[in-house]
Amino acid sequence: MSIGVYDGHGGPETSRFMNENLFPNLKKFAYEDQEMSASVIKKAFLATEEEFLSVVRDQWRICPQIASVGTCCLVGVICNGLVYVANAGDSRVVLGRTERGVRGVSAI
């Protein structure tokens, strides 16, 4: 199971691109490495960034505004009982859990 949250700035283009391309890259690298790992997630982020930079280079002359957009990104992946959390930009994740007999959520 995986989830991504994107917070675009300057326009929606980068967030949309991340939404459409990060998880396919994540699946590709996990398949190639035959596992989920921090290394796989890092490869997926780097590949997605490089692909977006290629889009910016290709569209620069007709849409220079594309070079001024960006996104923060939070990603969570649950695989084989482990939770992987990654971010790009200034967004952060706080994990919590409910404990029996205790009201509220405790931070992990």
Side-chain angles (χ1 to χ4, degrees):
M1 183 175 122
S2 55
I3 188 166
V5 178
Y6 313 98
D7 178 17
H9 49 273
E13 294 85 356
T14 310
S15 293
R16 285 185 185 143
F17 188 89
M18 290 292 288
N19 184 48
E20 294 169 1
N21 293 280
L22 180 60
F23 286 107
N25 280 333
L26 189 63
K27 288 178 185 179
K28 177 180 86 171
F29 289 115
Y31 179 78
E32 288 175 2
D33 288 9
Q34 297 294 301
E35 67 175 353
M36 179 56 63
S37 67
S39 175
V40 164
I41 294 169
K42 185 175 182 176
K43 286 182 205 177
F45 267 89
L46 292 172
T48 306
E49 178 182 35
E50 193 57 43
E51 291 166 1
F52 185 72
L53 290 174
S54 179
V55 169
V56 170
R57 284 188 290 272
D58 292 345
Q59 293 186 8
W60 172 254
R61 293 196 189 278
I62 59 171
C63 184
Q65 173 266 347
I66 191 129
S68 66
V69 298
T71 191
C72 295
C73 175
L74 297 171
V75 171
V77 178
I78 300 173
C79 185
N80 297 324
L82 293 175
V83 177
Y84 298 88
V85 179
N87 73 294
D90 60 2
S91 296
R92 299 289 181 262
V93 172
V94 176
L95 295 176
R97 69 172 178 228
T98 303
E99 294 185 22
R100 287 187 187 182
V102 177
R103 287 187 66 126
V105 176
S106 63
I108 296 178

